[in-house]
Every structure is written in structure tokens, then in C-alpha cells.
Amino acid sequence: MSESAKTPVDFWFDPLCPWAWMTSRWMLEVEKVRDVEVRWHVMSLAVLNENRLDELPAEYAENMRPGGKAWGPVRVVVAARELHGDEVVGPLYTALGTRIHNEGLGVSREAVAAALKDVGLPADLIDYIDRDTYDVQLRASHKEGIEKVGQDVGTPVIAVPGADGEQIAFFGPVVTPAPRGEAAARLWDGTLLVAATPGFYELKRSRTKGPDFTNL
């Protein structure tokens, strides 16, 4: 099947979020077993939470505040996209997530610098951690994803074709560990099934496990 004929999937992520990371690895697995093409976009937990910081746990809220850790990685991804094109977003996210989550380095300048080196992007992109140069573009990307799915969600957000071809967006799926092979395909097929069901909004249960990166 040609690239143009593949089913488009729009995926909004914040590199900070381990759950978005798990879902993104599932989507990469889906690309291997179904004719889909993922288009990567940033959203921002800092933007999402900026008007409710007083409701959040103190340490988490501190990361969301201006100058907090949540701002740096998304700013670097947006700067890379603006300066080097959409095609760098997916590889840079993979490099960031591998360093931050799989290797347990967390959100640090060292982790971001290593990720930039991994994908061959200029080292000076690290400077955008502390710059608001492209915050307008960051907020626009975030807004695009949130407007598709609604306000009462987090990251990830995926948008897939519905019954009439119009995109239907969901928060999630939240899954750990990331399904592989035919299990990934079945979850994808189920996602398309519920997206094609008029009026379907939500399936949910309480999480009893944390993120499991052992198969990544």
C-alpha cells in the first residue's frame, strides 16, 4: 500500500508523560502490522494544567509552573519542528522518551542534549529549553489536539477515522506494557471499532499498575 493510502493517525504527546510514551510505542508497533501512518504533534501538560496548579500535588505543580521541568522538552521539540520540519518530531520523541523513560534519566538538560545527538539535530536546540520563542506554536498544537477531544483529558490524545471518515479523537488508550504484534493489532482494530460507533465516548477502569517499560 502506498504511503498516501495509509490510514492517518494523529498523535499528541508530551515527552514528560510515561503513559503517552507507552501508547506511542504501541502505535509504532501498529505501523508494522496495519497500514497506518502516525503523524506526531505536541501537547503540553504545563499548558493543560496552568490554570489549576493549586489543585495539583506540590511537586507535580512545581514542574508545571513557568520555568519548571515540564516546559523544556516540548519547547525543544517544537523548535526542532519549526526549524527542521515535521519529519524530525517522531524520531526526536523516540530519542527523548528512550532517555527520559526507558533509561530512567528523567527530564534533564543532559537527557535532552543526548536525544538531540541521537537523531543528528543541532546541539544548540538545547537552548530552547529556557526560551519561549515558539510558545505560540506550542500552544497552537496543544489547542488543536484538545479541541478535538475536549478539556477533561490528559496526554496522549489520538485522532482516528470514524464511521464517516471524519476524525474521532480519544484520550488514550492507556495501556502497560505496550502491546506487541497481533495484540497491538487487536487493540488498534478495537480503537477503530469504537471510533466508528456513533455516540461512543468512554471506557475506563482504575489503573492498578504503573508504567512498564520492560518490553521497549
Side-chain angles (χ1 to χ4, degrees):
M1 179 175 285
S2 69
E3 290 293 321
S4 61
K6 290 186 176 183
T7 300
V9 184
D10 288 290
F11 190 107
W12 280 264
F13 66 91
D14 185 324
L16 186 70
C17 180
W19 298 104
W21 176 242
M22 303 298 300
T23 307
S24 72
R25 300 311 92 182
W26 162 66
M27 277 309 318
L28 288 183
E29 189 72 8
V30 172
E31 283 191 322
K32 300 176 185 177
V33 294
R34 293 290 187 266
D35 290 313
V36 305
E37 178 184 13
V38 183
R39 303 182 297 204
W40 303 99
H41 313 271
V42 297
M43 63 182 295
S44 168
L45 289 170
V47 173
L48 185 70
N49 290 299
E50 64 185 348
N51 294 320
R52 54 187 296 266
L53 293 176
D54 292 342
E55 304 170 22
L56 304 175
E59 183 178 354
Y60 188 81
E62 193 61 31
N63 289 333
M64 301 296 125
R65 297 186 191 281
K69 290 182 178 180
W71 285 95
V74 286
R75 280 176 165 169
V76 171
V77 175
V78 173
R81 185 195 69 192
E82 292 298 312
L83 297 172
H84 300 280
D86 288 336
E87 64 272 13
V88 306
V89 175
L92 180 54
Y93 178 35
T94 289
L96 284 166
T98 299
R99 297 284 182 168
I100 292 170
H101 302 296
N102 292 9
E103 297 179 11
L105 299 180
V107 179
S108 65
R109 293 184 75 90
E110 293 75 17
V112 176
L116 291 169
K117 183 177 181 180
D118 289 343
V119 294
L121 285 167
D124 60 4
L125 283 170
I126 192 73
D127 295 335
Y128 287 95
I129 280 180
D130 303 312
R131 295 178 182 173
D132 62 3
T133 309
Y134 297 112
D135 278 10
V136 170
Q137 291 87 338
L138 186 161
R139 288 177 179 276
S141 181
H142 175 89
K143 182 180 178 182
E144 182 185 13
I146 287 296
E147 285 187 342
K148 286 179 178 290
V149 72
Q151 295 295 323
D152 191 25
V153 300
T155 175
V157 169
I158 63 170
V160 304
D164 58 1
E166 182 180 355
Q167 277 195 326
I168 301 295
F170 296 113
F171 161 62
V174 175
V175 59
T176 185
R180 296 290 192 177
E182 187 56 28
R186 288 196 300 269
L187 180 55
W188 168 250
D189 294 343
T191 301
L192 290 183
L193 179 64
V194 296
T197 303
F200 176 85
Y201 291 102
E202 185 174 3
L203 279 173
K204 189 172 184 179
R205 63 175 178 163
S206 297
R207 290 198 302 263
T208 58
K209 291 178 60 178
D212 180 351
F213 307 131
T214 55
N215 69 343
L216 300 182

